[in-house]
Amino acid sequence: MKNILMFLKNKSVIGGITMVLFYQVAFILIFMSGYSAIPKNMNEMTVAIVNEDKQAGKEIAAGLAKQLPFKMVTDLPLDKAQEQLNDRDLALVIHIPQDFTKQLSTSGTKAKMDFFMNQSNPAMVSSSMQSVVTQITTNLNNQLATQTAQGVFESMKMPAEQAQKLAAEIPTKLDANIVNTNPVPPGMHNQMSPFFLTMVSYVGAMVFSMMMVGAMNALKRKMGLWQAFWSAQATNAIVSLIAPLIGISIYFLIQGGFGAEVFVKVWLVHALELFGAIEFMSIFSLLLKDKAIFANLTLMLIQTISSGATMSREMMPWLFKIVSYISIMFYTVQTDFSIIYGGGKLTEHLLGLWIAAIASMIICMVSFYFVSPKEAADDQEKTVAA
């Protein structure tokens, strides 16, 4: 027992216990609060209904707009709706074609309703919209015959007998024409690959940044303040350019099916991500020293949710939504989606990643400048005291 108490009094053991307790609290609080948005915040997603039919389609579109538990947009033309879908501003586009009533009123013919889905999206968005399409098709097929169809046909001055006959066909009348854009190969590993590739670089950056700040502080006395800083930046750039090649090469060799152009683009994006992440986490290593791990780990956990890999920004709780606007992981994941599978806003997300990386380097430089005189003064006090 005495020996155990001696261990428990050791600073390293106390630090280890603190980390274990911190992990328990941080993981539970962050993930519980972050993933509470699913399915609670699914109504924050936006769905567009594009109706080109002035008869039956008008009533059906109005009914869907009231029934669906999402933010509904009904005033977009089809081309604009598809553009916003590609940009991931819309989760689903429901298109009722111009001849929908004619198809609906023709015996023996199925009426087609188009559902456009962008597969290059967070996993929750893609799976949810697939379920929504199935539900809409089933509900409309079940409801139209008994509630809507006969009244619609009769309002078109159709004989009651013909209207009743057509209404009886409605349970199998509607045909969902699902149009998937930017398809993702089957498998959860494919849907989550932008997140996995991003997470690998970010975790590596967290460890490397602590070591690099230690080396920078040790060498600045020999090399000079700015010589040490800019040499460290050059080292960070070289490591950032080379390190991602390993993980990305393994992924592309296993996955296959992508060309050299996609490989080079993904490599360069993750080189920029790694550099930005090193700079970002170096700020806390400079300011908090050995306690930086608490800040960096917490921010990394928050970014796993605010990265937009599992849920869209619209669905995120307010804290995670705010973090996503400054998150290196968010911009990297969204850029990966667009490069690997397709999708819009590539320039916007790349610009966000560049701004985050450059801003982090500038803050790191300022922190290094202001922290260094204080460290020098502390060293001098220790020397005098000795």
Side-chain angles (χ1 to χ4, degrees):
M1 190 66 185
K2 184 179 178 181
N3 291 338
I4 294 174
L5 289 173
M6 288 178 66
F7 268 94
L8 290 174
K9 292 178 182 178
N10 183 273
K11 286 185 177 181
S12 297
V13 175
I14 292 172
I17 293 172
T18 303
M19 287 298 297
V20 169
L21 296 175
F22 174 76
Y23 287 162
Q24 293 282 324
V25 174
F27 269 80
I28 297 299
L29 285 179
I30 291 171
F31 284 107
M32 287 292 285
S33 60
Y35 286 110
S36 66
I38 303 172
K40 182 176 67 176
N41 290 355
M42 284 183 62
N43 58 355
E44 295 297 322
M45 290 192 290
T46 305
V47 171
I49 300 177
V50 180
N51 175 44
E52 297 175 345
D53 183 84
K54 303 304 181 185
Q55 294 177 294
K58 189 176 181 179
E59 292 187 29
I60 291 171
L64 288 174
K66 290 179 182 178
Q67 294 169 15
L68 292 176
F70 305 109
K71 292 180 178 178
M72 304 302 298
V73 176
T74 58
D75 58 351
L76 289 175
L78 184 59
D79 57 342
K80 292 294 182 184
Q82 289 176 313
E83 183 180 330
Q84 291 190 23
L85 180 72
N86 193 56
D87 288 342
R88 305 184 189 91
D89 292 330
L90 295 175
L92 175 69
V93 174
I94 302 171
H95 175 232
I96 302 175
Q98 189 174 3
D99 61 345
F100 184 77
T101 297
K102 182 180 179 181
Q103 295 178 43
L104 202 61
S105 59
T106 303
S107 181
T109 302
K110 287 185 177 291
K112 287 189 177 183
M113 186 181 292
D114 303 318
F115 296 89
F116 295 91
M117 290 185 289
N118 183 1
Q119 295 296 304
S120 180
N121 248 316
M124 182 53 60
V125 175
S126 298
S127 60
S128 298
M129 290 304 105
Q130 186 66 54
S131 300
V132 167
V133 171
T134 302
Q135 185 179 353
I136 289 173
T137 307
T138 302
N139 288 348
L140 282 176
N141 271 328
N142 290 336
Q143 293 172 12
L144 280 174
T146 57
Q147 297 177 10
T148 307
Q150 190 167 350
V152 170
F153 295 141
E154 287 180 353
S155 69
M156 296 163 51
K157 308 300 183 184
M158 185 180 294
E161 185 178 343
Q162 185 183 356
Q164 188 176 8
K165 181 182 177 182
L166 285 169
E169 296 178 359
I170 292 294
T172 57
K173 188 76 172 174
L174 187 66
D175 182 22
N177 178 37
I178 300 174
V179 181
N180 289 317
T181 61
N182 304 320
V184 176
M188 193 65 176
H189 63 293
N190 289 309
Q191 193 77 49
M192 293 297 292
S193 60
F195 173 73
F196 294 145
L197 292 172
T198 299
M199 192 68 172
V200 165
S201 293
Y202 201 92
V203 172
M206 183 167 63
V207 177
F208 183 78
S209 65
M210 292 186 292
M211 296 178 176
M212 180 54 74
V213 167
M216 195 162 56
N217 283 330
L219 292 172
K220 68 186 177 185
R221 295 176 180 84
K222 295 180 181 179
M223 302 172 62
L225 190 68
W226 295 118
Q227 191 75 2
F229 177 80
W230 291 114
S231 296
Q233 302 317 300
T235 305
N236 290 344
I238 293 170
V239 171
S240 297
L241 197 61
I242 296 173
L245 273 173
I246 299 171
I248 292 168
S249 296
I250 293 172
Y251 170 75
F252 276 84
L253 283 171
I254 294 174
Q255 180 59 31
F258 298 104
E261 183 181 354
V262 174
F263 175 86
V264 171
K265 287 179 178 179
V266 172
W267 164 42
L268 293 177
V269 165
H270 285 278
L272 178 58
E273 178 220 352
L274 183 57
F275 181 80
I278 292 170
E279 298 298 326
F280 177 71
M281 287 183 278
S282 293
I283 297 168
F284 298 97
S285 295
L286 284 165
L287 298 177
L288 302 178
K289 298 180 174 57
D290 57 343
K291 296 181 180 63
I293 186 66
F294 294 103
N296 284 331
L297 181 63
T298 301
L299 288 167
M300 184 189 75
L301 292 175
I302 291 173
Q303 287 187 81
T304 60
I305 296 171
S306 62
S307 67
T310 55
M311 69 181 84
S312 63
R313 179 182 274 165
E314 292 75 19
M315 292 176 63
M316 297 176 192
W318 67 270
L319 173 62
F320 300 91
K321 189 179 293 186
I322 291 171
V323 171
S324 72
Y325 285 98
I326 58 172
S327 168
I328 288 172
M329 287 182 69
F330 174 83
Y331 291 115
T332 307
V333 167
Q334 301 308 310
T335 301
D336 271 359
F337 268 126
S338 296
I339 291 176
I340 298 174
Y341 302 124
K345 293 190 175 180
L346 177 59
T347 302
E348 178 183 320
H349 293 138
L350 266 177
L351 181 61
L353 184 56
W354 271 106
I355 291 172
I358 293 171
S360 295
M361 186 181 74
I362 292 171
I363 297 171
C364 182
M365 179 174 64
V366 173
S367 301
F368 184 62
Y369 175 77
F370 282 104
V371 167
S372 294
K374 184 179 182 301
E375 288 181 343
D378 290 343
D379 289 343
Q380 189 173 4
E381 287 178 10
K382 289 177 184 178
T383 303
V384 171

